[in-house]
Amino acid sequence: MNKRLTPDEIGEQLGELDRWTEKSGKLHKEFVFADFSEAWGWMSRVALVAEALGHHPEWFNVYRTVRVDLTTHDAGGITAVDFALAAKMDALAG
Amino acid sequence: MNKRLTPDEIGEQLGELDRWTEKSGKLHKEFVFADFSEAWGWMSRVALVAEALGHHPEWFNVYRTVRVDLTTHDAGGITAVDFALAAKMDALAG
C-alpha cells in the first residue's frame, strides 16, 4: 500500500474520485456541510476509519467547512492508502 | 460577550491563559497530544463545548497535533467568548 504513485497513476485514480485534486504532492478536497454539527459528524466517522487504517488526514475545519490534504509521509508522496481514505471520505459524505 | 477587545484587554487576558498568543487578530495555540486518539478525544470534547457556546474554532489537525485559531468574525476581532473557549480548551487538555 505504501509505494508512491506516479503522476500517471495519480491522474488516473483522481478520475475515479469526486472533485479531488492534486496539490503540492497531496490529495486535496474541500467539503462543505450544512452546519458544524454535520461537519463534525462526518469528521468523527472519518476519524474512526483513519485510526483503523493507521493513516490520518491533514485537515482544517472552520464551522461547516473541512479542507483535507492526504499524503503518505513515509513514501514521500501520494499512495494507494491516500486514495483509499479519500474514497471512504466521499462515501461517508454521501 | 461580542464586543471586540482592545489590545490592552487582550494582553491582560492572555496572561491568564497557558501559552496562547495573539496572531493576526486571533488567539492562537498549538496543542500536541500523545497520539491521534488522544488528540481526537480532546477535539471531540471541545466540539461539544463549541456547539453549546455557538462559537466554533478554526482548527487544523494532523495526527497528534492541533493548531487552533479563535476569533469572532461578527465583531471583527477577539472577544470574551474567544477567551472563554480558549480557557475551556486548556481545561480539557488537562
Side-chain angles (χ1 to χ4, degrees):
Chain A
M1 287 290 266
N2 270 325
K3 197 176 130 294
R4 180 179 169 170
L5 299 176
T6 66
D8 279 359
E9 288 169 330
I10 291 167
E12 187 180 330
Q13 293 194 41
L14 275 174
E16 294 164 18
L17 293 178
D18 178 34
R19 292 175 298 113
W20 287 80
T21 58
E22 191 273 332
K23 197 173 154 183
S24 308
K26 300 173 182 179
L27 294 182
H28 179 80
K29 184 171 177 178
E30 179 174 293
F31 292 84
V32 181
F33 299 91
D35 53 24
F36 178 75
S37 174
E38 195 180 290
W40 187 259
W42 176 79
M43 290 179 76
S44 299
R45 298 180 74 187
V46 170
L48 298 179
V49 171
E51 188 71 352
L53 282 175
H55 191 65
H56 302 86
E58 300 175 23
W59 48 2
F60 170 84
N61 161 245
V62 56
Y63 197 53
R64 67 194 187 106
T65 299
V66 186
R67 287 194 280 274
V68 178
D69 287 289
L70 303 178
T71 193
T72 304
H73 290 283
D74 291 349
I78 296 166
T79 65
V81 72
D82 295 307
F83 277 100
L85 185 53
K88 193 68 187 174
M89 285 181 162
D90 281 347
L92 288 172
Chain B
M1 287 289 268
N2 271 325
K3 199 176 130 293
R4 179 179 170 171
L5 299 176
T6 66
D8 279 357
E9 288 169 330
I10 291 168
E12 187 180 331
Q13 293 195 41
L14 275 176
E16 294 166 18
L17 293 178
D18 178 34
R19 294 175 297 115
W20 287 79
T21 58
E22 191 272 333
K23 196 172 154 183
S24 307
K26 301 175 183 179
L27 295 182
H28 179 79
K29 184 172 177 178
E30 179 174 293
F31 292 84
V32 181
F33 298 91
D35 52 25
F36 178 75
S37 174
E38 194 180 290
W40 187 258
W42 176 79
M43 290 179 75
S44 299
R45 298 179 74 186
V46 170
L48 297 179
V49 171
E51 188 71 352
L53 281 175
H55 191 65
H56 302 84
E58 300 175 22
W59 47 4
F60 170 85
N61 161 244
V62 56
Y63 197 53
R64 67 194 188 107
T65 300
V66 186
R67 287 195 279 274
V68 178
D69 287 289
L70 304 178
T71 192
T72 304
H73 289 283
D74 291 350
I78 296 166
T79 66
V81 73
D82 295 307
F83 277 100
L85 185 52
K88 194 67 189 175
M89 284 181 163
D90 280 347
L92 289 173

